[in-house]
Amino acid sequence: RGGAAPGADALRAELTGLGADVTLAACDVTDRAALQELLAAVPEDHPLTGVVHSAGVLDDGVIGSLTPERIDTVFRPKVDAAWHLHELTADLDLSAFVLFSSASGVFGTPGQGNYAAANTFLDALAQHRRAAGLPATSLAWGLWESASAMTGSLADGDVARMSRSGVAGLTEAEGLALFDLGCAADDAVVVPMRLDVAALRGGPDEAPPLLRGLVRTRATRAAAASEEKPAQRLAGLTDEEQERELLRLVRDRTAAVLGYAPDEIDVSGALTQLGLDSLTALQLRNQLAGDTGLRLPTTVVFDQATGPALAGYLRRELAAAAGGASAATAEPAVEDTLVGLVRQSYELGLSKEGWQMVDAAAVLRPVFGAPDEAAALPTVPLATGPAMPLLCFAPTMAPSGPHYFGRFAPVFAGRRDVTMLPHPGFGAGESLPATREAVVRFQADAVLRQAGDGPFALLGYSSGGWMANAVAALLERQGRAPAAVVLLDTYIATNSFEKRLEAALTERMSTSEAFDLLTGAQMTGQSGYLRVFEDWKPEPIEAPTLYVHATFPPGESEALETEDAWQPEWPYAHEDADVPGDHFSIMDEHSESTALAVEAWLSDDRFADPS
């Protein structure tokens, strides 16, 4: 950004005061021609002798969510820019060529596959230059204490996870000293970071493998050899004692994933209320699978929503495994072979044909035509507080479930109850709705049971907004209207949004990891809901309505000027709120901004409880 960058004027003044001649230039270093033009402008009497490349952009997400566009967003300022600098300065007499890399490329960091790979390229480039006789140093930085434009969005849980891995924040003084030491080192790649060896020693299983050599574990070989697997510890116990032991295991592993001491959390309620999102839920599942030796479904933490439910599930699966008939280790059920076939359809570029197969399978699912024909589903509490409760509907797209609100709901903790009402038909053994009226009445009954006699607000994210609007309209006709309705980027087929969304979804599904949370029931559930909502149109309602807009086009990591009017619109009376992120990231890395916008609106005096 050149002179337009924050602090540019102060930096120029400071350097000028020290006797330097300063030129600040704005240049897209990923544009080779623009960079070549900039380098040509360097005066001959002050030739270029050093390069420091510190640019970087984050677009974090688990592997299954990384599209080519999200990878390009991170790669261009790292990979493309560094390579252009390398090529265009190769003939110059440089004394320094310094690359700002990241320890994520050395150790690996959950949710940063694109960023880790980009920084690994910088480390390799430094080695390549050294081998060619050119100067180069890649500094694979650890965490800094002071927040930057890149690290300012780190959640407390992210920082806590790093701390448990023995990574402490660098002060500015420490960072500058390590910069000098790193540039003076003989190695092409150095890792300037601050380690908390005590934290490593306290939890060696949490430490990155490359750091475990620094830890002198306290456990003796004899103790390790005597450690029993859960199945062994459960032998001879009653069912109640077994579930108590497994509940303790669930508590300990949940605490480890979320960065708490075991006695600091209570897993008797919904695990998602503790702040589990899709990434940490998979980490918890993986730890429990390692402990028990069971092949656990990737959705097990969402399917078994509370600690006791999960402990009971583990006990039953261990008992079945002991008898040689475990459902978790048996061949996949017929409905779950569907996931593999659809995955294959994406690999073959035949995704349309894959979903035609899902549509055909959905027709074979049992259906209900009235609310009393389907069993009521347990609600999922996500946050608690004294203000008017917020009842949420997840998207009716697979995988539907509470994980959509895993990073959104904790913002409301201590302020108001936030509860998700699951849609029937997305769980194994559940019936799908035969008609839209059947499921709208089912969810309206669920809302009334949850809300009791008090005021309440409804919220729907994406296609969950269809349900929120339909339920609100029905409840108004019944004389029990919601006090407010919130629609999070809910869309209708009025512009190019759906085409952009479909393209982004196809990209997200093109990687096998995107299927991690899918089951046959989820996929056929999506098909069933698309069928009954096929001719749905929004209804005008009296309740005040907040329409929250994502400001990035679907699949994009920034706001862009486009030729098409891609933003979805709501045709009836509403208030607007714009939040950063695209259709997906407003409930992921940008979820806090989304939640704060909703909370600010619901905190208006008109929604205050008159009692």
Side-chain angles (χ1 to χ4, degrees):
R1 286 172 288 181
D9 290 339
L11 175 61
R12 185 203 305 267
E14 180 181 358
L15 294 175
T16 301
L18 293 170
D21 294 328
V22 179
T23 299
L24 298 177
C27 177
D28 181 0
V29 189
T30 67
D31 183 337
R32 194 180 192 280
L35 178 59
Q36 189 171 22
E37 183 179 343
L38 175 67
L39 293 175
V42 176
E44 292 183 3
D45 56 341
H46 289 292
L48 184 68
T49 58
V51 170
V52 178
H53 174 53
S54 61
V57 172
L58 290 176
D59 191 1
D60 293 348
V62 294
I63 291 292
S65 70
L66 295 183
T67 63
E69 290 76 17
R70 296 184 72 179
I71 292 174
D72 286 346
T73 296
V74 174
F75 270 43
R76 290 183 73 246
K78 288 281 187 184
V79 175
D80 293 357
W83 186 253
H84 294 333
L85 284 166
H86 160 64
E87 286 189 320
L88 294 174
T89 64
D91 296 332
L92 301 179
D93 185 19
L94 299 183
S95 61
F97 188 95
V98 183
L99 302 164
F100 273 35
S101 177
S102 167
S104 66
V106 178
F107 299 106
T109 305
Q112 288 195 311
N114 50 359
Y115 190 65
N119 285 292
T120 298
F121 177 89
L122 298 188
D123 298 342
L125 176 59
Q127 297 278 12
H128 173 70
R129 286 181 59 89
R130 287 282 185 113
L134 299 173
T137 301
S138 184
L139 302 173
W141 291 104
L143 183 68
W144 287 61
E145 277 186 357
S146 55
S148 68
M150 292 179 68
T151 62
S153 62
L154 282 176
D156 292 342
D158 298 322
V159 176
R161 189 180 298 116
M162 291 188 219
S163 298
R164 294 197 307 276
S165 298
V167 178
L170 291 167
T171 65
E172 290 186 3
E174 289 170 334
L176 291 171
L178 289 174
F179 176 87
D180 290 340
L181 289 171
C183 291
D186 292 331
D187 296 300
V189 180
V190 295
V191 186
M193 64 189 301
R194 184 177 170 207
L195 295 178
D196 181 355
V197 179
L200 291 174
R201 188 177 297 118
D205 289 340
E206 288 291 328
L210 290 177
L211 297 181
R212 290 177 190 168
L214 300 176
V215 181
R216 182 174 297 173
T217 57
R218 297 170 181 169
T220 66
R221 289 188 178 182
S226 65
E227 186 176 347
E228 295 178 315
K229 289 288 185 183
Q232 296 171 306
R233 295 200 303 273
L234 299 179
L237 301 180
T238 66
D239 288 354
E240 183 179 346
E241 291 170 334
Q242 289 180 353
E243 292 201 13
R244 192 158 50 241
E245 181 72 22
L246 288 167
L247 183 61
R248 187 178 298 111
L249 176 66
V250 169
R251 181 202 64 181
D252 292 350
R253 294 308 185 219
T254 304
V257 164
L258 295 176
Y260 296 104
D263 59 0
E264 290 180 323
I265 65 169
D266 178 7
V267 295
S268 61
L271 297 174
T272 49
Q273 191 170 354
L274 299 172
L276 285 171
D277 57 18
S278 57
L279 175 62
T280 48
L282 283 173
Q283 290 176 328
L284 175 56
R285 171 258 192 180
N286 292 342
Q287 290 206 13
L288 292 174
D291 289 327
T292 61
L294 295 170
R295 284 182 54 199
L296 299 176
T298 52
T299 56
V300 67
V301 175
F302 299 123
D303 296 339
Q304 312 297 327
T306 68
L310 183 52
Y313 174 85
L314 293 174
R315 181 189 62 79
R316 293 190 298 274
E317 289 299 318
L318 285 168
S326 171
T329 56
E331 287 299 312
V334 171
E335 68 175 13
D336 287 321
T337 63
L338 190 62
V339 178
L341 290 170
V342 175
R343 184 195 305 254
Q344 187 177 27
S345 77
Y346 274 86
E347 293 171 352
L348 297 173
L350 300 172
S351 58
K352 181 178 179 181
E353 287 79 1
W355 282 101
Q356 288 174 343
M357 178 175 55
V358 172
D359 292 340
V363 175
L364 305 178
R365 294 275 305 274
V367 297
F368 65 91
D372 57 4
E373 295 176 8
L377 299 175
T379 60
V380 182
L382 300 167
T384 57
M388 179 177 67
L390 185 61
L391 309 182
C392 303
F393 295 114
T396 55
M397 313 297 279
S400 184
H403 58 280
Y404 282 108
F405 304 102
R407 300 179 70 170
F408 171 85
V411 177
F412 297 89
R415 306 185 191 194
R416 66 181 71 247
D417 288 356
V418 179
T419 306
M420 193 209 76
L421 308 181
H423 301 301
F426 285 95
E430 297 173 3
S431 297
L432 282 169
T435 63
R436 183 168 66 252
E437 179 187 9
V439 71
V440 171
R441 289 172 57 201
F442 178 97
Q443 292 293 39
D445 290 349
V447 166
L448 295 180
R449 284 194 301 271
Q450 183 66 27
D453 297 328
F456 61 92
L458 297 180
L459 177 145
Y461 165 47
S462 186
S463 56
W466 306 348
M467 189 70 72
N469 172 256
V471 169
L474 175 59
L475 291 176
E476 285 187 349
R477 292 193 292 271
Q478 294 177 350
R480 185 65 174 93
V485 174
V486 179
L487 305 174
L488 301 181
D489 219 42
T490 292
Y491 57 94
I492 51 179
T494 58
N495 52 31
S496 67
F497 176 83
E498 281 193 316
K499 290 183 179 179
R500 285 179 172 270
L501 180 63
E502 183 178 357
L505 283 169
T506 299
E507 289 290 345
R508 290 166 70 91
M509 294 291 286
S510 63
T511 55
S512 60
E513 290 83 357
F515 288 85
D516 277 351
L517 294 177
L518 292 181
T519 64
Q522 286 276 353
M523 299 181 83
T524 51
Q526 171 178 316
S527 177
Y529 275 77
L530 286 174
R531 175 175 50 79
V532 298
F533 275 89
E534 183 177 16
D535 58 348
W536 171 83
K537 293 182 180 179
E539 299 180 62
I541 57 176
E542 296 295 326
T545 300
L546 176 68
Y547 190 86
V548 179
H549 298 268
T551 52
F552 305 171
E556 301 292 345
S557 58
E558 60 182 340
L560 300 173
E561 289 192 14
T562 60
E563 295 181 359
D564 59 326
W566 62 267
Q567 271 195 320
E569 298 176 354
W570 193 249
Y572 297 113
H574 66 276
E575 299 168 55
D576 291 298
D578 288 340
V579 296
D582 80 331
H583 183 74
F584 309 102
S585 64
I586 62 168
M587 297 299 280
D588 193 4
E589 57 261 42
H590 297 293
S591 58
E592 182 175 3
S593 298
T594 307
L596 289 175
V598 173
E599 177 59 27
W601 186 72
L602 290 175
S603 297
D604 190 278
D605 289 343
R606 61 185 153 160
F607 300 126
D609 188 344
S611 61

